[in-house]
Amino acid sequence: MNFRDTVTVISEIREENEDIPFIELLYVLEGFIHVRTGEKETALKKGQFCLFVPGELHSVFSSPDGASLRVLYDEEELLSDFTQGSFSFDFHRLTENDAERIRIINLLSAIVKEYAWDKRTTRMKSMYYLILDLIVSNCMQFDKTEDKSGVSGIIAAMRKDPASIRNQKEYADEMFLSESAFSRLFAKTAGKSFRDYVIDLRLNYAKRLLSGTGDSVAEVAMRCGFGSVSVLQRHFRDRYSCTPTEYRSKSRIHAGVSAVEAEAVQNLLRESLNPNSADITISLTREAGEPMPKELHCINAGDAEWLMDAGLQKSFKDIPRTLNIRHVALCNIFDSAFRIRRDHETENLHFDRLDQLFDMFIELSCIPVLILPESKKLVVREVTGSIEKQPRLFADTEEWLKVFRAFLLHVIERYTYHVVREWIFVIEHDPQRSSANECEEYLELYEKTRRILRTYVPDAGIWASSLNSNVRSSTLKNELRYWKTKGILPDALSLMLYPYRMRPGRIDGSRVKPVVQGFDVDMGFLKEEMARYDLIAGECGCEKLPRMITEWNMSISDRTAYHDSCAKACHMLVQMKDGIGLLQRMFYRYLSDASLSGYDADSPFIGAGGLVTRDGIRKPSWYAMEFWGQLGAFVISRGDYHIATTNYRTDYQILLFHPVRMSEEYKMIPESEHSMDEFISEIEEEQKLRFTLLLKDVHGKKRMRVFRMSEQEGSAYAEWVKIGSPGHMGLTELRYLKRRSAPRLAVSVLRPENGTIRMTYELERNSFALLLID
């Protein structure tokens, strides 16, 4: 079956009692479709989907204005990596799983967009097979009985080539068994006799060929291993009460449907497709819009001990003034580097070194957000999921409570209650600890820690959980229901957010390989995850519980060129823009590359995820955060590629960004294998994005300052290349690079005509600009 036949946008569906021999998925784009399977009838509206088992009788009728995406999967392709003898489908497990259902919908929506361009087959295939993985992992149930006889291997070979199936005696001789013994063994493994299994296998294969190819009936009989056309016809009449020709006429892939051309799909989706080929018009008035969430963007500085480094402290002291950030998150404040105690003694605790850290916070008017773990935080090193484990900091809960109580009493005495009451404490559940016993331990730790906080600093903020997308929904549901029942809900739910989702992959022999699900990571993964948590919180009656992201980044690897690019800065702005209305705070992790891996590299650019390099050079991601910090108090316009704000209805702050999707090929390469000089984005047909700005009801001339940064000019990596890409830089070169690695500034005067200012501004791909008009 040709790939183009497996993914089709169709309209005017009129199918009565069809039984196409493929896994069939229908996703409604416009109008609605009416589905009947057995005695069950369902009406699906825009944004919903349904699944059909191979050979399942079903009827589908669409509304006159309907349009749907149809995705087909060949059952044999789906089973190609499996050797189990028997299996069954349970599609309800997928459609009833909220998190996976949302993920399927997002993948289907993206496939439609790629379909509209009629040539982006690579991206479409990537998402097509991601859905296939979800079906395998969620819907297919295999007989897990261990087969030591070798029959499973014979069954796998038979599936791959039905025409080459030999007679039962030959297989029995090959296994040194009598024919009767082999027959019993085969029936036990496959669930049916050898003869019935072979006939079913060949008939299913014949149905797929009749539906999905133009082969003649004679060719189909030969490819399936039937001795002649008459044998195929006889079995078809016995099983399906029709001839192969009659079956083909009613069950062709496109029978009963009308395909929609790509151009028509573009018109259907014209508002949601990448607008690179058209202008974006932004109209601004003096009317105040929705309030801009204060301090939406924050910093997670990582391990507290890192801030004891002099170089890191210099970058840290720029945060309040330059980035306009007050809340800073810290992990592992009781690390052994602070020498709080000797071994595990809790009688004589010394907080002198830790005091130096909090003295700096107080001096800068920063508010610490203390992430309190059960153990030293696990460090993720690779997108493949490898983990570097650290020792536990506390032997048990009681030891932790003694140290924490002593710490609270100390900081209240040193900094006064009125200061500490503004601090925020996150009682973290390590996402790697998800067994039933570990979850019970966490609930106990949360309850006791919360009791101490409410005793000594009752006004302090308490956030809880720090769950991420790897954690099962049931874990979070159990916690929320437990807290709500006992009346001890946290003040906010703490989340981690990364663009990849790890899960067990296909079974390969006795091994389970991890699979990375990385879909559209550079654009909309925040909205996808927030939709997932909305459903979970709603089921538990906690939909009003505020959500904070205490840890997020655009990648989970410490070695990729992407981290040093303007592409990443643009994608960060997309996530922060999407966070408005969904989140109150987002803590970006990390501050500096100096605290991360990569000391084995000679280059000053090691591809780590910090906002500044280990030499203190500010990356484009730093300036993305700085531009965001200069936005005003009210949002007056927001779109896919811009956000505009105002303070006093006479000034405007307009942030424009032109993010380009990273290629699927780039995403699929292990991040540790990327080189610094590779081109990380696909070139779209249109290199520039044009914004038309309309400022209405303007009186008098305005001054406009434009700060712009692109991959070619202003970005730290581009400026480093311009000076010859030195592996080691002297002090003079370092100072020069720090000065050059900054946005370019242009100043102009705008004069209104009839109370309106009209102007056009262009951005090349992977560039962003802040327009300040006052």
Side-chain angles (χ1 to χ4, degrees):
M1 183 167 55
N2 185 284
F3 179 75
R4 272 300 182 186
D5 289 329
T6 66
V7 179
T8 317
V9 175
I10 57 179
S11 64
E12 302 179 12
I13 310 175
R14 295 289 184 272
E15 296 179 342
E16 181 72 34
N17 292 327
E18 293 290 342
D19 62 345
I20 294 176
F22 304 100
I23 293 176
E24 183 179 4
L25 188 154
L26 284 176
Y27 173 60
V28 185
L29 302 176
E30 287 292 331
F32 66 90
I33 61 175
H34 186 85
V35 179
R36 184 173 70 247
T37 54
E39 297 182 356
K40 183 179 180 181
E41 296 188 10
T42 308
L44 300 178
K45 59 184 180 180
K46 182 177 180 179
Q48 295 181 319
F49 72 92
C50 59
L51 284 161
F52 301 115
V53 174
E56 178 184 14
L57 283 174
H58 61 273
S59 300
V60 180
F61 301 93
S62 67
S63 59
D65 61 340
S68 303
L69 174 70
R70 182 192 226 177
V71 181
L72 300 176
Y73 291 99
D74 190 321
E75 184 180 318
E76 289 304 308
E77 179 181 274
L78 186 142
L79 296 170
S80 60
D81 291 344
F82 296 88
T83 59
Q84 287 89 338
S86 60
F87 63 90
S88 60
F89 288 101
D90 184 3
F91 284 163
H92 294 293
R93 295 174 61 190
L94 182 60
T95 55
E96 293 175 359
N97 184 317
D98 291 332
E100 302 295 23
R101 180 169 54 82
I102 290 172
R103 187 153 185 79
I104 288 280
I105 289 172
N106 283 319
L107 286 166
L108 291 170
S109 177
I111 285 178
V112 175
K113 292 180 181 180
E114 303 305 333
Y115 180 95
W117 291 103
D118 200 33
K119 58 185 177 181
R120 296 180 175 176
T121 306
T122 300
R123 287 180 177 173
M124 204 186 306
K125 280 186 177 180
S126 174
M127 291 175 279
Y128 174 87
Y129 286 111
L130 281 174
I131 295 176
L132 178 64
D133 281 336
L134 287 172
I135 292 174
V136 170
S137 60
N138 287 279
C139 303
M140 297 189 67
Q141 299 174 319
F142 293 91
D143 182 3
K144 298 181 180 180
T145 304
E146 186 177 6
D147 174 32
K148 297 181 180 180
S149 66
V151 172
S152 292
I154 292 174
I155 291 174
M158 291 165 63
R159 284 177 178 158
K160 289 181 179 179
D161 188 4
S164 66
I165 297 175
R166 294 170 284 166
N167 61 52
Q168 182 171 265
K169 187 176 185 309
E170 290 185 49
Y171 289 119
D173 292 343
E174 188 178 284
M175 297 181 64
F176 303 102
L177 295 171
S178 67
E179 193 169 346
S180 59
F182 174 80
S183 178
R184 290 193 298 272
L185 192 60
F186 187 94
K188 181 179 179 181
T189 304
K192 60 183 69 175
S193 70
F194 180 86
R195 180 182 181 277
D196 289 345
Y197 189 88
V198 172
I199 291 175
D200 287 348
L201 186 64
R202 286 175 171 168
L203 283 175
N204 285 331
Y205 189 37
K207 287 168 64 179
R208 296 204 315 276
L209 294 177
L210 290 167
S211 298
T213 72
D215 293 353
S216 67
V217 175
E219 289 172 328
V220 169
M222 182 180 64
R223 290 182 62 180
C224 294
F226 289 106
S228 65
V229 172
S230 61
V231 175
L232 171 62
Q233 290 176 332
R234 175 164 50 84
H235 284 300
F236 239 83
R237 286 194 189 95
D238 292 343
R239 185 64 55 87
Y240 306 116
S241 301
C242 66
T243 67
T245 302
E246 291 170 342
Y247 178 84
R248 165 172 275 171
S249 66
K250 70 173 184 177
S251 62
R252 295 284 300 213
I253 290 177
H254 298 297
V257 302
S258 299
V260 179
E261 297 297 329
E263 184 177 351
V265 180
Q266 288 185 28
N267 293 330
L268 184 68
L269 305 175
R270 59 186 178 274
E271 295 183 358
S272 59
L273 290 174
N274 191 326
N276 284 357
S277 59
D279 288 347
I280 296 177
T281 300
I282 305 172
S283 296
L284 306 179
T285 66
R286 296 177 61 183
E287 296 180 6
E290 60 178 318
M292 180 72 173
K294 293 184 178 179
E295 302 183 14
L296 176 67
H297 73 311
C298 307
I299 287 290
N300 183 325
D303 279 10
E305 66 169 303
W306 295 345
L307 284 184
M308 301 308 289
D309 177 81
L312 270 174
Q313 286 186 9
K314 188 173 182 181
S315 297
F316 178 74
K317 291 178 180 178
D318 286 334
I319 288 177
R321 177 179 56 86
T322 308
L323 301 186
N324 195 23
I325 287 175
R326 290 189 67 206
H327 287 83
V328 179
L330 288 175
C331 307
N332 302 320
I333 60 172
F334 299 129
D335 191 273
S336 57
F338 293 107
R339 301 179 185 175
I340 293 173
R341 56 183 176 168
R342 180 178 299 173
D343 296 326
H344 284 272
E345 295 177 0
T346 56
E347 301 304 321
N348 299 307
L349 300 174
H350 304 280
F351 298 103
D352 297 351
R353 286 195 165 209
L354 201 54
D355 287 342
Q356 298 175 30
L357 184 61
F358 289 113
D359 287 347
M360 182 170 60
F361 270 74
I362 301 302
E363 179 186 348
L364 297 172
S365 298
C366 285
I367 297 174
V369 177
L370 304 180
I371 300 177
L372 309 172
E374 306 162 74
S375 58
K376 188 174 178 66
K377 196 167 189 63
L378 300 179
V379 180
V380 178
R381 294 297 182 190
E382 286 293 337
V383 75
T384 54
S386 58
I387 300 289
E388 178 183 324
K389 292 190 175 181
Q390 304 286 356
R392 296 193 69 178
L393 291 178
F394 303 98
D396 53 38
T397 303
E398 294 308 315
E399 182 182 316
W400 149 255
L401 295 174
K402 288 180 181 179
V403 174
F404 182 59
R405 185 183 290 107
F407 166 75
L408 275 184
L409 292 172
H410 171 78
V411 293
I412 291 172
E413 180 181 1
R414 182 177 178 86
Y415 303 111
T416 75
Y417 171 81
H418 293 287
V419 171
V420 179
R421 66 186 290 188
E422 293 188 4
W423 296 10
I424 296 169
F425 300 85
V426 184
I427 309 173
E428 181 187 70
H429 181 179
D430 189 333
Q432 303 299 324
R433 295 166 56 93
S434 57
S435 69
N437 289 338
E438 289 168 339
C439 290
E440 288 182 9
E441 290 176 7
Y442 169 68
L443 291 175
E444 179 188 3
L445 177 104
Y446 167 84
E447 196 166 353
K448 292 182 177 180
T449 305
R450 183 183 184 279
R451 188 178 303 128
I452 291 175
L453 283 166
R454 287 293 181 245
T455 300
Y456 295 104
V457 276
D459 298 326
I462 300 176
W463 302 349
S465 208
S466 286
L467 296 179
N468 65 12
S469 58
N470 295 337
V471 177
R472 292 187 299 271
S473 301
S474 58
T475 302
L476 181 55
K477 288 179 184 177
N478 291 338
E479 291 174 358
L480 289 173
R481 286 167 177 160
Y482 178 83
W483 294 334
K484 186 174 182 181
T485 300
K486 300 202 71 174
I488 54 173
L489 276 170
D491 298 319
L493 183 64
S494 163
L495 310 170
M496 298 179 187
L497 192 67
Y498 288 97
Y500 294 99
R501 182 177 299 180
M502 302 293 297
R503 65 169 179 76
R506 296 186 177 187
I507 301 173
D508 181 14
S510 61
R511 296 184 303 167
V512 177
K513 296 181 179 179
V515 172
V516 177
Q517 292 183 336
F519 156 64
D520 217 16
V521 301
D522 41 349
M523 292 294 185
F525 72 93
L526 182 144
K527 288 192 291 187
E528 179 184 337
E529 283 299 300
M530 289 305 102
R532 176 180 178 236
Y533 286 109
D534 272 342
L535 288 169
I536 295 173
E539 287 182 22
C540 302
C542 300
E543 58 274 2
K544 294 183 179 180
L545 187 65
R547 293 166 303 187
M548 316 289 177
I549 295 180
T550 49
E551 182 177 324
W552 77 283
N553 205 312
M554 297 300 297
S555 173
I556 62 173
S557 172
D558 292 347
R559 184 70 63 81
T560 170
Y562 174 65
H563 283 304
D564 297 322
S565 70
C566 284
K568 177 183 177 179
C570 290
H571 299 148
M572 288 173 58
L573 291 172
V574 172
Q575 308 310 319
M576 290 190 283
K577 179 264 301 179
D578 287 345
I580 297 175
L582 298 177
L583 298 158
Q584 292 188 0
R585 291 192 181 92
M586 295 173 62
F587 289 81
Y588 178 88
R589 180 179 173 113
Y590 298 86
L591 173 59
S592 171
D593 290 352
S595 55
L596 302 173
S597 64
Y599 287 98
D600 56 326
D602 295 329
S603 168
F605 295 94
I606 58 175
L611 297 177
V612 298
T613 71
R614 54 188 176 183
D615 297 313
I617 304 170
R618 294 173 179 176
K619 299 183 187 181
S621 51
W622 171 283
Y623 291 105
M625 298 285 279
E626 182 176 326
F627 286 3
W628 189 272
Q630 296 187 55
L631 293 176
F634 298 96
V635 179
I636 53 177
S637 179
R638 179 159 56 115
D640 289 340
Y641 303 100
H642 81 279
I643 178 171
T645 63
T646 185
N647 283 317
Y648 310 107
R649 305 186 187 182
T650 58
D651 64 346
Y652 302 96
Q653 304 82 33
I654 307 169
L655 188 49
L656 309 175
F657 35 94
H658 183 186
V660 178
R661 286 180 178 157
M662 295 160 56
S663 70
E664 295 299 331
E665 289 81 359
Y666 180 88
K667 294 177 191 177
M668 296 304 143
I669 298 173
E671 294 191 331
S672 58
E673 297 178 9
H674 285 296
S675 61
M676 291 302 300
D677 58 351
E678 63 190 330
F679 188 60
I680 67 172
S681 299
E682 285 188 351
I683 300 175
E684 299 287 347
E685 292 181 354
E686 292 289 332
Q687 293 286 314
K688 293 186 177 181
L689 188 59
R690 295 179 296 275
F691 296 88
T692 300
L693 305 177
L694 298 176
L695 278 66
K696 300 179 180 180
D697 194 21
V698 178
H699 303 286
K701 64 182 181 180
K702 297 285 185 180
R703 181 185 66 156
M704 181 173 72
R705 291 166 290 156
V706 179
F707 297 88
R708 181 184 60 84
M709 177 169 280
S710 68
E711 300 282 19
Q712 293 74 36
E713 191 173 27
S715 71
Y717 183 72
E719 300 301 325
W720 175 68
V721 171
K722 288 179 183 179
I723 63 173
S725 308
H728 175 74
M729 293 189 298
L731 185 59
T732 302
E733 289 173 307
L734 184 59
R735 286 175 177 169
Y736 172 81
L737 193 56
K738 286 183 177 180
R739 288 197 303 270
R740 295 292 299 172
S741 301
R744 300 299 184 253
L745 170 63
V747 182
S748 59
V749 175
L750 306 176
R751 292 181 171 84
E753 294 184 7
N754 299 322
T756 301
I757 293 177
R758 180 187 181 92
M759 59 170 291
T760 300
Y761 192 83
E762 292 187 337
L763 281 180
E764 60 267 30
R765 57 182 176 78
N766 291 336
S767 62
F768 56 105
L770 176 66
L771 284 61
L772 301 177
I773 302 174
D774 52 28

